[in-house]
C-alpha cells in the first residue's frame, strides 16, 4: 500500500493530494476521501482521543455561534469532524447516516400509523405523548 501511495504521489507530481477526488461525491463521502488523502501525506491526528477532542471543540463553537452564517460554518466543521471520527472508527459515514435516516423514517411511519389508529394530531400532542408514541413504535 505504501509503495502504491508513493507511486501515486510521484504520478501527481506537484498536483494536490486531493487531485482525482470526484467533487460530486456525497458530502460525507467527500469529507472522508479528503481526510484519507490528507492522512496519506501524514497530516492527521495521532490518536482517536484527539479526534474526540476536536469534535467536542467544534460542538462548543457551534453552540456559541450567534449568526446564521456562523452557525452554517460551524455546522460544516462539526460534520467534517464527525466524518473524521467515523474514519478513525473504521465506519463509513455516508452509509451510517443513510442507515440511521432510513431507520428513523421507518419508525416514524409506525408513529404515523399509531397516530392515525388513535385519531391523534401529532402537531397538537404534548412532547411526552410524542415520546411515548416513539417508544411504542420502537418496540414494535
Amino acid at each position: 500500500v505504501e509503495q502504491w501511495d508513493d507511486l501515486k504521489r510521484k504520478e501527481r507530481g506537484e498536483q494536490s493530494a486531493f487531485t482525482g477526488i470526484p467533487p460530486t461525491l456525497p458530502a460525507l463521502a467527500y469529507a472522508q476521501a479528503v481526510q484519507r488523502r490528507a492522512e496519506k501525506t501524514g497530516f492527521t491526528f495521532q490518536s482517536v482521543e484527539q479526534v474526540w477532542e476536536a469534535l467536542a471543540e467544534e460542538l462548543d463553537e457551534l453552540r456559541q455561534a450567534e449568526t446564521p452564517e456562523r452557525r452554517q460554518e460551524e455546522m460544516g466543521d462539526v460534520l467534517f469532524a464527525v466524518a473524521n471520527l467515523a474514519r478513525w472508527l473504521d465506519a463509513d459515514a455516508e452509509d451510517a447516516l443513510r442507515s440511521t435516516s432510513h431507520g428513523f423514517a421507518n419508525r416514524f411511519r409506525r408513529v404515523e400509523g399509531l397516530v392515525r389508529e388513535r385519531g391523534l394530531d401529532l402537531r397538537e400532542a404534548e412532547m411526552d405523548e410524542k415520546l411515548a408514541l416513539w417508544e411504542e413504535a420502537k418496540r414494535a
Side-chain angles (χ1 to χ4, degrees):
V1 172
E2 289 178 22
Q3 288 176 338
W4 176 258
D5 290 341
D6 287 341
L7 180 62
K8 286 299 185 184
R9 259 192 302 281
K10 288 176 185 169
E11 283 179 7
R12 276 196 305 270
E14 297 297 317
Q15 294 180 23
S16 170
F18 306 131
T19 298
I21 298 175
T24 55
L25 282 175
L28 287 171
Y30 183 80
Q32 284 191 292
V34 165
Q35 292 164 357
R36 278 191 298 275
R37 292 280 183 94
E39 178 183 34
K40 288 180 181 182
T41 71
F43 193 83
T44 189
F45 288 113
Q46 294 179 338
S47 71
V48 72
E49 188 55 40
Q50 290 176 321
V51 179
W52 281 108
E53 289 170 10
L55 176 57
E57 181 180 316
E58 295 301 344
L59 286 167
D60 286 341
E61 290 175 8
L62 175 59
R63 194 174 287 121
Q64 295 170 21
E66 294 183 359
T67 65
E69 296 81 13
R70 190 76 179 137
R71 286 190 290 272
Q72 176 83 9
E73 181 182 326
E74 294 302 337
M75 181 58 74
D77 290 350
V78 166
L79 293 171
F80 193 78
V82 167
N84 194 25
L85 179 60
R87 183 179 63 83
W88 269 84
L89 298 177
D90 200 26
D92 183 285
E94 193 72 34
D95 289 345
L97 182 57
R98 187 174 318 281
S99 175
T100 295
S101 295
H102 285 300
F104 177 89
N106 289 336
R107 189 169 301 151
F108 191 79
R109 285 185 196 98
R110 284 185 234 134
V111 168
E112 289 174 318
L114 293 170
V115 165
R116 275 191 302 278
E117 286 173 15
R118 297 173 188 172
L120 301 173
D121 183 344
L122 199 53
R123 287 169 291 204
E124 304 217 357
E126 296 294 325
M127 183 53 83
D128 59 338
E129 292 175 279
K130 293 174 187 178
L131 293 175
L133 288 166
W134 184 258
E135 287 303 316
E136 186 176 341
K138 194 174 175 179
R139 288 189 300 274

